[in-house]
Amino acid sequence: MFDLLSYAYPWIKALHIVSVISWMAALFYLPRLFVHHVEQAGASGPMHDTFSMMEYKLAQVIMRPAMMATWLFGLALVLTPGLVDWTMIWPWTKGASVIAMTIFHVWLKKQVETVKQGESRVTGRQFRLLNEVPTLLMIVIVFSVVVKF
């Protein structure tokens, strides 16, 4: 199996990068949808319904499969022989950041239902600030992998 992973490495890496880009795009966009939803659409009416549908589809059709693919291809890369030196700090900082990103993903998914039900206690300003979480985690991940500190 490990020989197969070494042979398929460029393909797995490419698929991992595509998955990460898709996941990050959704993680960046969903909080922005929430900002406009809570500030402009309110808790009911046609705009509310449209925002709720957009948020649901983004979370279910793009964000969730992209996260799953990111994890799948990322784990395949971790299992590829000679790729990760576990004595260094970078795989641990990357791993912790990916887990934090996944926790943020799960929290956003819960917000889809909360905002849809009109029960969100998060303001538009708070969603704007929370929108920076994936950016900060992405910076840690990219520097961890590229600089390998």
Side-chain angles (χ1 to χ4, degrees):
M1 176 176 158
F2 293 115
D3 290 338
L4 176 64
L5 289 173
S6 294
Y7 176 75
Y9 169 73
W11 295 96
I12 295 169
K13 185 177 179 181
L15 289 167
H16 182 64
I17 292 168
V18 169
S19 301
V20 168
I21 291 169
S22 299
W23 189 25
M24 293 304 302
L27 288 172
F28 289 145
Y29 189 50
L30 188 54
R32 297 304 300 173
L33 283 175
F34 290 149
V35 167
H36 298 296
H37 190 158
V38 300
E39 288 183 352
Q40 297 172 8
S44 64
M47 275 184 67
H48 166 78
D49 295 341
T50 300
F51 272 103
S52 294
M53 182 264 311
M54 291 169 60
E55 293 155 358
Y56 176 81
K57 286 188 176 183
L58 178 62
Q60 287 297 111
V61 177
I62 296 170
M63 194 169 80
R64 184 171 160 236
M67 180 201 65
M68 293 168 63
T70 297
W71 271 94
L72 175 73
F73 298 122
L75 290 173
L77 290 171
V78 165
L79 293 173
T80 303
L83 203 58
V84 178
D85 180 358
W86 293 102
T87 64
M88 297 184 77
I89 295 171
W90 76 267
W92 302 101
T93 57
K94 179 188 178 181
S97 297
V98 171
I99 289 169
M101 190 89 71
T102 303
I103 291 167
F104 184 68
H105 168 112
V106 170
W107 181 80
L108 283 177
K109 180 65 179 88
K110 289 179 182 174
Q111 293 306 303
V112 170
E113 192 59 34
T114 303
V115 172
K116 179 181 179 182
Q117 299 300 325
E119 299 170 356
S120 178
R121 294 184 177 155
V122 184
T123 66
R125 186 179 192 300
Q126 290 169 325
F127 276 125
R128 278 187 186 88
L129 291 172
L130 288 164
N131 197 40
E132 301 309 318
V133 170
T135 303
L136 296 173
L137 292 170
M138 176 193 64
I139 290 168
V140 172
I141 291 167
V142 169
F143 276 85
S144 294
V145 173
V146 174
V147 178
K148 294 190 189 294
F149 51 85

